[in-house]
Amino acid sequence: MDLKKIEKSFASIIDAIGEDKNREGLINTPERVAQSYSEFFSGIDKDPKDMLQKTILTDKKDIVIEKNIDFYSMCEHHFLPFFGTVDIAYIPNNKIIGFGHIISALEVLAKRPQLQERLGYQLADALYEALQCEGVMVIVKAKHLCMTMRGSKKENSEIITTSCRGCFENDTLRRIEVINLLK
């Protein structure tokens, strides 16, 4: 990531909106924005499956759920944040994964310019492929600042997306079971 280029570009944005980039409160803003972007977009060029390599063998096939995982990301359409929670359910096929590893995979995907729908299906794909599990279900609930600060300006709207892989794609009863467990 080219932090100096980000700094220079953001100084140009400050100029373009009609502000004085040399005003006391703005002098170091381009540098602060560049540092923030280095964190916000630290998932670019990383593979979430790399976070999912340390598995544990199991002979059980019970549903595993991790819910209410906080995340934030940047909408690729407006470069404004969206944030919320992710719920994940999977049915093992001889392998389980530590919950922190799932969170790390989510962080890799969230820390790049993103769409909520893509975030969910990329996480579902990564888990399904890395664990070779019987099924994965990912539910993403988020608020989008591009909808609350601009555009429709609907502060209380929440977007919910789901991504299902394996047995959850066709087994309605399994999906309902997960949804009931998440309540």
Side-chain angles (χ1 to χ4, degrees), residues 34-46:
Q35 288 301 318
S36 295
Y37 277 22
S38 72
E39 182 179 339
F40 296 163
F41 302 116
S42 63
I44 294 173
D45 294 328
K46 290 184 182 174

Side-chain angles (χ1 to χ4, degrees), residues 152-168:
S152 59
K153 297 184 180 154
K154 300 301 178 201
E155 188 173 321
N156 293 312
S157 66
E158 180 179 56
I159 308 300
I160 300 172
T161 56
T162 62
S163 296
C164 299
R165 301 293 179 269
C167 65
F168 289 120

Side-chain angles (χ1 to χ4, degrees), residues 7 24 28 55 64 78 94 97 115 151 176:
E7 284 180 41
E24 183 179 355
N28 295 316
T55 59
V64 177
H78 302 99
N94 299 320
I97 189 92
L115 297 173
I176 290 170

